[in-house]
Amino acid sequence: MYVSLIEVIMFLVLLSRIECVALKRKTYSELRSCNIGVVADEIASYDTVVKDIIDYVAGPFEGKTYDELAKFVDKFGARPSGSQVLEDSIDYMIQLTRDEGVTDIITEELEVPHWVRGDEVITMLKPRVKNIALLGLGRSVSTPDEGITAEVIVVSNFEKLEAATYEDVKGKIVLYDPIFTSYGETVVYRSQGATKAAEKGAVAALVRSITPFSINSPHTGSQTYGGNVTQIPTAAITIEDADLIRRLYDRGETVELNIKMFSTYDTKVSRNTIIDLKGIEKPEKLVIVSGHIDSWDVGQGAMDDGGGLFISWAAPVILKRLNLRPRRTLRSIFWTAEELGLVGAYAYEEKHRNESSNINFIMESDEGTFAPRGLAVSGTQEARCIIAEILKLFESINASTLVEDDSAGSDIAVIIKTGVPGASLHNANERYFWFHHTEGDTMNVEDPEELDLCTAFWTAVAYIIADLSIDIPR
């Protein structure tokens, strides 16, 4: 299987962002105070607009974000990168938007990964026979038809693997069983585990699912093979089975597994979707709201990232309904192929690189749409001061917290790293990683009232930033 250098670089950039998030986030209250002068008075004048948007979403628009998301999820289900169902769902969103009278819509084509999961079975053969629940990780290679039968070596971290000799690991299946601390700290075992195990001679790699909670539920996710290394099959297993294997291993039992995993991998053409509500004074200037439309092949992508997709769809729709046209253009982007490496975001940044100076602010929701709490913001101190002042207008819905994050968002991190200020939705998502990348990502995770609050908050924040007399400073 061929993995390009560009794919590896893209993934490493993403990985470094993920690893740093947990360490760099601070609440704004921990840092120095703001002094933004007359801008604070201008921001305060938007209190009536904020109330109008909140009241509208709680009134005529009540439940619409949830209802439209439910129709979408029920119709299409999972929307994997490169699949026909993803393309059909893009067409659906375009038509849904046009039906609302928002017609300034374009799509931009790009090549995306198309990894298709086949049959997957793991059977414990020793010390007893047991079926092991699994989900192969993105881009994993297949096993031979007869599968791979080998003994398991269990390690809790990369240091333990490195300490083992080549002969200790050669020909074995490596199981990583780190205890979940945070996603940013623990996900490295999923993303890099196969490569590091292969370097030590392993024939396959497994990882304890990256989650703090499980009901025998494996969690999939992306991984990328490093260069100049044998590509070995890799999968996630449940917390329960990983802990079982660890107990057996620690007792000195020989644990032997047979792994059968099959998949295909090629590329297809997909599209980023761009929707504009043109500004009345500075239409070339952009405030972007966004979410990704693709999902993993398990679950229905309701939470990851259907909620983020639909609050970003709703923002221009609500503003048009209320006849609120900001000074700058409000742009809504539905990113494609986020799950397999931010592919749509990289394509957009490359295509629009010469226009990046026109991006005033960029926003993304991709960590749940539970009760909004505020924004996680990247940018200069002055930029954060202005956003903090805007967030004061949302104390009535408990959404006034600013979290400082040097690389907010997933897709938008590609653009933020070029110097554009931006933010991701900060919400009460303590249970997000319970369902993340599992069969449990369904409409049952979403709450209509919380989704309404996210919709109102997202729309009003975007409007204010797009309408301010000043640009957000870089």
Side-chain angles (χ1 to χ4, degrees):
M1 182 186 300
Y2 174 72
V3 178
S4 71
L5 178 61
I6 292 297
E7 286 182 305
V8 173
I9 292 171
M10 285 166 50
F11 184 76
L12 291 176
V13 169
L14 167 64
L15 183 62
S16 65
R17 182 195 69 81
I18 290 172
E19 290 173 341
C20 291
V21 164
L23 300 176
K24 291 184 177 180
R25 283 190 169 187
K26 305 176 187 175
T27 58
Y28 190 79
S29 61
E30 294 171 335
L31 302 174
R32 57 188 180 277
S33 61
C34 296
N35 181 15
I36 55 174
V38 295
V39 178
D41 294 333
E42 181 186 356
I43 291 170
S45 71
Y46 284 95
D47 60 341
T48 301
V49 173
V50 169
K51 183 178 184 304
D52 288 345
I53 291 173
I54 292 173
D55 288 348
Y56 183 76
V57 174
F61 210 79
E62 183 181 8
K64 185 169 178 62
T65 310
Y66 180 91
D67 290 344
E68 293 296 348
L69 172 60
K71 287 182 209 174
F72 177 80
V73 165
D74 293 345
K75 182 176 180 65
F76 296 106
R79 306 168 298 280
S81 170
S83 67
Q84 184 58 49
V85 72
L86 173 60
E87 299 313 300
D88 292 343
S89 73
I90 292 170
D91 291 337
Y92 177 93
M93 291 302 297
I94 291 169
Q95 188 57 52
L96 182 66
T97 308
R98 286 177 176 154
D99 290 345
E100 287 287 343
V102 179
T103 57
D104 197 339
I105 305 170
I106 63 170
T107 60
E108 295 178 345
E109 291 188 347
L110 61 143
E111 190 175 42
V112 301
H114 182 227
W115 182 78
V116 179
R117 186 188 310 278
D119 293 336
E120 298 177 330
V121 179
I122 296 181
T123 306
M124 181 191 288
L125 303 177
K126 294 179 182 179
R128 64 181 173 92
V129 176
K130 182 186 185 300
N131 291 329
I132 304 291
L134 81 151
L135 283 173
L137 302 180
R139 291 192 179 96
S140 174
V141 296
S142 299
T143 64
D145 289 346
E146 68 275 15
I148 292 173
T149 299
E151 186 179 332
V152 178
I153 178 171
V154 185
V155 296
S156 56
N157 54 50
F158 291 142
E159 290 73 23
K160 294 291 178 65
L161 178 66
E162 186 60 32
T165 68
Y166 187 85
E167 292 303 318
D168 289 335
V169 182
K170 182 181 178 182
K172 294 181 180 177
I173 298 165
V174 171
L175 168 61
Y176 300 97
D177 70 335
I179 302 301
F180 183 94
T181 52
S182 70
Y183 187 69
E185 291 180 352
T186 318
V187 74
V188 292
Y189 297 98
R190 186 193 79 201
S191 57
Q192 300 179 37
T195 292
K196 290 186 179 295
E199 289 171 347
K200 299 284 280 191
V203 293
L206 303 175
V207 63
R208 186 182 193 264
S209 283
I210 310 304
T211 180
F213 177 80
S214 176
I215 307 179
N216 207 45
S217 48
H219 294 234
T220 191
S222 192
Q223 65 87 38
T224 296
Y225 296 110
N228 300 317
V229 68
T230 301
Q231 296 181 5
I232 60 176
T234 181
I237 64 175
T238 68
I239 287 179
E240 293 87 343
D241 282 333
D243 290 352
L244 167 64
I245 293 172
R246 163 60 80 176
R247 292 193 300 272
L248 293 170
Y249 183 82
D250 285 349
R251 292 178 195 136
E253 300 268 13
T254 296
V255 180
E256 185 178 88
L257 303 179
N258 175 263
I259 302 175
K260 292 181 180 177
M261 291 172 53
F262 307 101
S263 61
T264 61
Y265 180 44
D266 58 5
T267 60
K268 299 287 185 182
V269 174
S270 187
R271 296 163 287 169
N272 284 325
T273 307
I274 300 169
I275 300 164
D276 284 349
L277 185 69
K278 291 295 186 184
I280 56 175
E281 288 184 13
K282 302 176 180 178
E284 75 285 357
K285 294 283 189 178
L286 302 174
V287 170
I288 297 173
V289 293
S290 65
H292 68 85
I293 192 167
D294 67 302
S295 74
W296 280 104
D297 57 325
V298 292
Q300 299 170 359
M303 178 190 75
D304 184 18
D305 183 31
L309 170 72
F310 268 84
I311 66 170
S312 296
W313 166 80
V317 168
I318 290 170
L319 295 182
K320 186 175 189 307
R321 285 189 177 199
L322 293 175
N323 198 28
L324 288 170
R325 297 290 291 271
R327 289 182 169 93
R328 299 167 190 81
T329 293
L330 178 72
R331 172 167 289 182
S332 183
I333 300 179
F334 308 154
W335 308 108
T336 195
E338 184 271 349
E339 295 293 5
L340 281 169
L342 316 182
V343 183
Y346 276 102
Y348 181 90
E349 192 279 328
E350 182 178 6
K351 184 178 180 66
H352 296 271
R353 188 167 295 165
N354 293 336
E355 309 159 29
S356 64
S357 61
N358 282 332
I359 303 176
N360 185 43
F361 201 73
I362 187 165
M363 296 161 58
E364 176 182 28
S365 172
D366 186 23
E367 291 186 5
T369 42
F370 302 94
R373 292 292 178 256
L375 294 174
V377 182
S378 297
T380 64
Q381 181 68 19
E382 188 179 1
R384 286 167 168 161
C385 284
I386 292 170
I387 302 303
E389 199 68 28
I390 292 171
L391 291 177
K392 290 179 182 178
L393 298 173
F394 297 91
E395 290 178 352
S396 66
I397 60 170
N398 195 30
S400 58
T401 298
L402 187 148
V403 176
E404 295 214 331
D405 189 337
D406 289 345
S407 187
S410 53
D411 283 299
I412 65 171
V414 174
I415 294 168
I416 284 173
K417 71 180 183 181
T418 68
V420 175
S424 61
L425 177 65
H426 174 53
N427 65 113
N429 65 351
E430 293 81 6
R431 295 184 300 144
Y432 179 75
F433 290 108
W434 292 18
F435 309 102
H436 183 247
H437 296 180
T438 73
E439 292 287 2
D441 184 358
T442 68
M443 283 303 298
N444 296 71
V445 179
E446 296 292 329
D447 178 88
E449 292 182 4
E450 291 183 347
L451 202 51
D452 276 348
L453 286 173
C454 286
T455 298
F457 173 76
W458 205 236
T459 302
V461 168
Y463 174 79
I464 295 168
I465 297 171
D467 196 57
L468 279 175
S469 62
I470 64 163
D471 288 343
I472 302 298
R474 298 193 181 189

